[in-house]
């Protein structure tokens, strides 16, 4: 048995004017709770340090520079690293990254229990749009404020297992899980900020959004025989509601723990990494069963191209 006691640290809403220092105090409280629960790993949401600022349009993206980190750890986040290290805990943290070259990414880090950065991920799939869209009830400007990640889907050896990272909308794409599955991933960590309404289709409300959240995470876990820990920033930020539903899913695709609130809340579960072996050796033994000669389109074509051509579409 290779057990990791995971603390999925859901955050309630963060308002536009809330200070980073205040948010970090909330997060330190969750680290303390996780420590008291004996957790070996704490997982925070996407863009955990700030409000979900891509819902706000600014002509000049630099107006939001205050929401980006130029160092990790930086002067404020160092306190989180220290608290996790003192607790002997690994850490996943989502944040907005501004590089010395001026590139902007929606990023996460995986921090080892000794406080060193073990891995880094930059969100590959960016949802939404780049320009102000007046047809929407609210904006989702990730394509304005971030560049698609350039690091791929890494898997790192940590805490006696193989851990991978993804961010929010990545969880809806089977390719995300499969690339890490092909690297033998045993636990995927991901944070999310999911608006409870689609700004374009009001019919898609919170229940359907929650259903799709579970469906995507459960399918990814099962089809790659891996644990998945998906952590929300939830509740109403400056009048904009986001779903909660932080969940931990086992390698059979079953939900084993789930948040009950839309506030700061710790969801703790003992995850045995050896439980990933059965699926990896049977139904999803990739080496025996995958037929890559038929998968070429997946990595060579983005949009739909009908095989019979445009004339008779
Ligand atoms: N943060 C994030 O990626 N949110 C998306 C919502 C996109 S709606 C334009 C998600 O997939 O949850």
């Amino acid at each position: 048995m290779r057990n990791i006691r995971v603390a999925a640290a859901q955050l309630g809403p963060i308002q536009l004017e809330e200070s980073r220092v205040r948010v970090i105090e909330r997060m330190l409280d969750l680290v303390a709770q996780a420590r008291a629960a004996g957790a070996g790993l704490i997982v925070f949401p996407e863009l955990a340090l700030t409000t979900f600022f891509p819902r706000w349009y600014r002509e000049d993206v630099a107006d939001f520079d205050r929401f980006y980190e130029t160092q990790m750890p930086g002067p404020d986040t160092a306190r989180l690293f220290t608290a996790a290290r003192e607790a002997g805990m690994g850490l996943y943290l989502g944040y907005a990254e501004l590089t010395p070259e001026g590139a902007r990414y929606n990023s996460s880090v995986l921090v080892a229990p000794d406080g060193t950065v073990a891995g880094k991920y930059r969100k590959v799939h960016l949802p939404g749009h780049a320009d102000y869209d007046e047809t929407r009830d609210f904006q989702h400007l990730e394509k304005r404020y971030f560049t698609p990640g350039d690091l791929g889907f890494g898997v790192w050896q940590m805490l006696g297992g193989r851990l991978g990272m993804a961010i929010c909308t990545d969880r809806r794409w089977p390719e995300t899980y499969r690339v890490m599955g092909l690297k033998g991933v045993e636990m995927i960590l991901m944070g999310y900020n999911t608006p409870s309404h689609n700004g374009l289709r009001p019919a898609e409300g919170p229940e359907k959004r929650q259903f799709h959240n579970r469906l995507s995470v459960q399918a990814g876990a099962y089809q790659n025989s891996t644990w998945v820990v998906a952590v929300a920033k939830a509740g109403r930020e400056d009048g904009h509601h986001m779903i909660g539903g932080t969940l931990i899913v086992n390698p059979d695709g079953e939900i084993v723990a789930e948040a009950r609130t839309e506030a700061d809340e710790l969801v703790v579960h003992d995850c045995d990494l050896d439980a990933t072996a059965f699926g990896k050796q049977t139904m999803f033994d990739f080496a025996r069963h995958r037929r890559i000669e038929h998968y070429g389109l997946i990595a060579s074509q983005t949009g739909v191209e009908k095989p019979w051509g445009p004339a008779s579409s």
Side-chain angles (χ1 to χ4, degrees):
M1 181 153 162
R2 287 178 297 139
N3 188 59
I4 303 179
R5 183 168 293 179
V6 176
Q10 177 173 288
L11 287 172
I14 299 171
Q15 309 309 327
L16 195 62
E17 298 309 328
E18 195 162 339
S19 76
R20 190 188 268 76
V21 170
R22 168 68 194 125
V23 175
I24 288 174
E25 273 161 15
R26 286 166 53 185
M27 295 168 81
L28 287 170
D29 189 46
L30 288 162
V31 172
Q33 289 179 42
R35 182 177 191 169
L41 174 66
I42 186 162
V43 184
F44 285 108
E46 172 192 36
L47 300 176
L49 304 165
T50 65
T51 194
F52 188 72
F53 63 88
R55 72 168 66 89
W56 303 108
Y57 178 80
R58 292 290 182 275
E59 183 69 36
D60 182 358
V61 294
D63 284 355
F64 277 163
D65 275 0
R66 69 182 186 280
F67 293 135
Y68 291 80
E69 307 300 312
T70 53
Q71 298 170 58
M72 188 51 67
D76 298 322
T77 47
R79 294 173 69 200
L80 271 179
F81 277 54
T82 302
R85 177 171 49 75
E86 287 174 356
M89 229 184 274
L91 167 73
Y92 166 105
L93 175 67
Y95 64 102
E97 178 189 6
L98 177 57
T99 71
E101 297 75 32
R104 296 165 193 272
Y105 297 103
N106 187 338
S107 300
S108 59
V109 276
L110 183 63
V111 183
D114 68 2
T116 57
V117 173
K120 180 156 168 179
Y121 173 69
R122 290 171 171 158
K123 187 175 183 179
V124 165
H125 301 101
L126 295 177
H129 47 108
D131 297 312
Y132 189 83
D133 182 350
E134 61 186 19
T135 67
R136 291 176 177 259
D137 295 341
F138 54 88
Q139 306 296 299
H140 196 107
L141 290 156
E142 286 197 57
K143 284 179 162 54
R144 183 174 194 82
Y145 292 114
F146 303 116
T147 300
D150 58 351
L151 302 175
F153 296 103
V155 171
W156 297 270
Q157 301 220 46
M158 199 177 108
L159 298 172
R162 296 185 291 274
L163 273 55
M165 291 189 275
I167 299 180
C168 196
T169 214
D170 285 327
R171 74 196 188 285
R172 305 184 193 277
W173 296 90
E175 295 87 347
T176 298
Y177 304 88
R178 184 49 52 88
V179 171
M180 287 188 265
L182 286 167
K183 297 179 181 181
V185 76
E186 295 173 310
M187 181 180 283
I188 298 176
L189 314 175
M190 52 175 72
Y192 61 92
N193 286 254
T194 295
S196 58
H197 290 272
N198 184 321
L200 286 173
R201 287 176 43 200
E204 192 178 63
E207 293 78 21
K208 193 173 280 186
R209 288 251 152 158
Q210 197 59 263
F211 168 67
H212 288 154
N213 181 40
R214 294 191 185 107
L215 181 69
S216 305
V217 173
Q218 290 183 259
Y222 168 63
Q223 292 168 349
N224 296 277
S225 198
T226 180
W227 291 90
V228 181
V229 180
V231 183
K233 176 141 67 60
R236 196 168 290 281
E237 287 188 343
D238 292 305
H240 296 272
H241 187 260
M242 298 183 295
I243 63 166
T246 290
L247 72 169
I248 301 177
V249 176
N250 72 18
D252 283 320
E254 296 161 328
I255 297 173
V256 292
E258 201 166 18
R260 294 196 177 88
T261 72
E262 294 180 348
D264 295 0
E265 179 182 346
L266 210 62
V267 177
V268 180
H269 190 77
D270 283 321
C271 304
D272 177 10
L273 299 181
D274 284 339
T276 63
F278 181 76
K280 288 184 190 298
Q281 290 162 9
T282 56
M283 188 70 83
F284 297 109
D285 182 345
F286 294 157
R288 279 195 296 144
H289 304 311
R290 292 182 79 241
R291 304 297 342 172
I292 58 172
E293 64 273 32
H294 298 295
Y295 304 160
L297 279 187
I298 289 174
S300 62
Q301 181 179 314
T302 48
V304 174
E305 291 176 26
K306 297 184 182 109
W308 50 87
S312 55
S313 58

